């Protein structure tokens, strides 16, 4: 039934009934603002062009393609089953298709819409999507795959038993919220830009990438995390990662600022990609074995806080600014530290005394005797004033010790 070639003005209900035959394809162009549509339970292609109104799509099964263009909101009154691709254009209005039983098997493309709320009972694949408002996506099983997507407000993607991934760049003006249960989230396209915070609920491995700066809006639980950015990496809520974390930046002037919340990083943390980091501030409140931290050179300040664990400093690092390290466990190193300005170490963040072993630091204290500082520590000569003899029995009377020399401060 082809009524889609001319601008019809149909004022009442327009019903397409199969009678004793079978309706294959339906095409309709209607300009009237008050018309309603009745559809058969099954058909092949469905094309609706409603230039005077919106539509509430009735329950139907489309074996081919679905193409709906309206001047008003697109909604539904029953479940939609579409085997082929779906193309939706709401003329700048809302699209709400979240009825239980929806099954969009092919790619769903959306253009010229405000808020979009789309729910699918199976895997959901998007084509090109552009909204001026929010984009909310949810399914109950299978993956959710995004193509070229531009969201004018907030993006929310929830999958119960599938991955969240992409095939083209994503741009989000508002906040982004992602939930993948026990599955992976992989949004690592080089063209992505998340203008506001990206929050992750539960997921397995999480990979995020931004072509500018990125703000992490909290991670409830993830088994691994990789974040890449051309600008700063920051946070606005706590991060909880049970496995390894990798932070990649491509600009030597970028900051990594992850110290404002009680984060929990259970594995090693590595920073790579840009040669240098400007300011690096990092906090880990996890309880457990010492966390291995591998850093590039720092062109300004380095601040590290480990509330309940120790710290193993990785590769050799040059810090052009100040160094401030506070831990609740032992501080050790496997590479040399070069600190141009003041350095402060504290190994009592948890209220207990822990060891500080920095054998490579002695060269910064006395160029004439590069091992002097290490030898003093090893021989228990802490350089205290004569009024406080540096013998073991006297030192044991103190719960804490602080020593300062040549811009270096060590507390335990």
């Amino acid at each position: 039934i082809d009524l889609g070639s001319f601008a019809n003005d149909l004022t009442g209900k327009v019903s397409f009934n199969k009678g004793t035959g079978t309706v294959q394809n339906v095409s309709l162009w209607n300009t009237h603002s008050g018309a309603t549509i009745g559809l058969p339970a099954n058909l092949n292609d469905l094309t609706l062009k409603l230039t005077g109104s919106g539509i509430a799509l009735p329950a139907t099964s489309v074996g081919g393609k679905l193409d709906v263009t309206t001047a008003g909101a697109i909604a539904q009154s029953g479940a939609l089953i579409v085997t082929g691709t779906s193309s939706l254009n709401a003329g700048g209005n809302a699209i709400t298709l979240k009825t239980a039983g929806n099954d969009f098997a092919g790619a769903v493309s959306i253009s010229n819409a405000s808020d979009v709320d789309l729910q699918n009972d199976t895997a959901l694949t998007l084509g090109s999507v552009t909204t001026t408002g929010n984009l909310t996506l949810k399914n109950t099983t299978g993956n959710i795959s995004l193509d070229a997507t531009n969201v004018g407000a907030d993006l929310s993607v929830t999958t119960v038993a599938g991955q969240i991934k992409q095939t083209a760049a994503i741009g989000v003006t508002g906040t982004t919220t992602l939930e993948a249960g026990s599955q992976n989230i992989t949004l690592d396209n080089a063209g992505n830009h998340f203008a506001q915070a990206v929050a992750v609920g539960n997921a397995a491995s999480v990979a995020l990438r931004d072509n500018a700066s990125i703000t992490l809006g909290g991670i409830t639980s993830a088994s691994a995390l990789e974040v890449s950015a051309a600008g700063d990496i920051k946070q606005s809520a706590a991060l909880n990662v049970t496995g390894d974390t990798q932070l990649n930046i491509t600009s030597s002037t970028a900051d990594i600022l992850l110290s404002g919340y009680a984060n929990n990083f259970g594995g090693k943390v590595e920073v790579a990609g840009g040669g240098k980091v400007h300011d690096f501030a990092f906090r880990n409140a996890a309880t457990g074995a010492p966390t291995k931290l591998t850093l590039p050179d720092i062109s300004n300040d380095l601040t590290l806080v480990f509330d309940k664990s120790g710290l193993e400093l990785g590769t050799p690092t040059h810090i052009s600014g100040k160094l401030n390290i506070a831990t609740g466990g032992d501080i050790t190193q496997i590479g040399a530290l070069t600190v141009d300005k003041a350095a402060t170490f504290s190994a009592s963040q948890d209220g207990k005394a822990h060891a500080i072993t920095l054998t490579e630091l002695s060269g910064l204290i006395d160029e004439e005797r590069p091992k002097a500082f290490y030898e003093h520590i090893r021989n228990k000569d802490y350089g205290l004033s004569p009024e406080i003899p540096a013998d073991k029995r006297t030192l044991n009377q103190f719960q804490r010790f602080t020593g300062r020399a040549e811009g270096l401060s060590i507390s335990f």
Side-chain angles (χ1 to χ4, degrees):
I1 302 174
D2 185 1
L3 299 177
S5 300
F6 300 94
N8 303 299
D9 185 6
L10 306 175
T11 61
K13 182 176 182 179
V14 182
S15 297
F16 299 91
N17 299 312
K18 67 178 183 178
T20 58
T22 300
V23 177
Q24 293 292 324
N25 303 318
V26 169
S27 178
L28 172 66
W29 180 3
N30 193 18
T31 63
H32 199 275
S33 61
T36 58
I37 305 294
L39 296 172
N42 298 280
L43 65 159
N44 191 29
D45 292 344
L46 175 60
T47 302
L48 299 174
K49 184 178 180 181
L50 307 176
T51 55
S53 67
I55 188 173
L57 292 165
T60 190
S61 177
V62 180
K65 297 183 294 183
L66 173 65
D67 189 339
V68 180
T69 300
T70 66
I74 298 175
Q76 64 184 139
S77 59
L80 297 173
I81 300 173
V82 184
T83 303
T85 60
S86 298
S87 178
L88 307 172
N89 181 333
N93 296 286
I95 297 176
T96 307
L97 301 176
K98 59 179 184 178
T99 298
N102 285 345
D103 184 0
F104 297 95
V108 180
S109 298
I110 298 171
S111 61
N112 200 14
S114 57
D115 293 334
V116 174
D117 192 342
L118 180 61
Q119 180 172 322
N120 208 35
D121 278 4
T122 59
L124 178 60
T125 300
L126 295 184
S128 175
V129 174
T130 300
T131 74
T132 58
N134 300 325
L135 175 60
T136 303
L137 305 171
K138 184 177 181 179
N139 73 348
T140 55
T141 186
N143 300 332
I144 294 180
S145 178
L146 291 85
D147 196 63
T149 302
N150 290 284
V151 183
D154 298 339
L155 170 65
S156 176
V157 184
T158 302
T159 176
V160 175
Q163 300 181 43
I164 299 174
K165 52 187 182 177
Q166 66 183 138
T167 57
I170 298 170
V172 184
T173 302
T175 61
T176 299
T177 304
L178 308 170
E179 171 70 53
S182 61
Q183 301 296 314
N184 296 335
I185 297 173
T186 308
L187 301 180
D188 58 356
N189 188 284
N192 291 343
H193 181 49
F194 303 97
Q196 296 187 37
V198 181
V200 177
N202 296 292
S205 175
V206 177
L208 302 171
R209 186 171 183 178
D210 199 298
N211 65 12
S213 297
I214 187 170
T215 298
L216 302 174
I219 295 177
T220 301
S221 178
S223 61
L225 174 65
E226 180 175 358
V227 181
S228 303
D232 300 337
I233 298 176
K234 300 179 288 185
Q235 68 179 138
S236 60
L239 310 176
N240 296 281
V241 184
T242 58
D244 295 343
T245 297
Q246 181 165 329
L247 306 172
N248 304 312
I249 58 171
T250 58
S251 170
S252 60
T253 61
D255 297 331
I256 297 178
L257 305 176
L258 302 179
S259 63
Y261 298 85
N263 305 308
N264 284 272
F265 294 95
K268 65 181 181 180
V269 179
E270 180 177 1
V271 178
K276 285 187 178 182
V277 177
H278 182 247
D279 281 323
F280 185 88
F282 183 84
R283 181 182 177 188
N284 189 6
T287 302
T291 300
K292 181 178 180 181
L293 183 63
T294 301
L295 297 174
D297 289 343
I298 309 297
S299 61
N300 199 39
D301 296 340
L302 173 62
T303 301
L304 303 174
V305 179
F306 288 75
D307 297 48
K308 303 174 184 177
S309 67
L311 170 64
E312 182 182 87
L313 293 166
T315 56
T317 301
H318 180 195
I319 300 145
S320 300
K322 294 181 291 185
L323 171 63
N324 184 7
I325 296 179
T327 69
D330 296 346
I331 300 174
T332 60
Q333 66 181 137
I334 58 175
L337 282 175
T338 303
V339 185
D340 292 351
K341 297 183 180 180
T344 301
F345 297 86
S346 172
S348 56
Q349 191 73 5
D350 60 349
K352 302 177 182 178
H354 301 280
I356 300 175
T357 306
L358 301 173
T359 60
E360 298 289 343
L361 191 61
S362 57
L364 304 177
I365 304 302
D366 189 343
E367 293 183 0
E368 298 296 326
R369 295 185 299 157
K371 288 294 183 181
F373 182 79
Y374 171 55
E375 294 295 335
H376 286 172
I377 296 298
R378 188 181 66 178
N379 296 326
K380 302 189 185 305
D381 177 4
Y382 292 93
L384 294 172
S385 65
E387 289 77 14
I388 306 178
D391 61 271
K392 182 176 181 181
R393 184 171 55 184
T394 301
L395 289 174
N396 283 338
Q397 299 176 14
F398 297 92
Q399 292 184 345
R400 294 192 178 190
F401 169 77
T402 298
R404 304 177 188 274
E406 302 291 334
L408 173 70
S409 172
I410 292 181
S411 302
F412 60 88

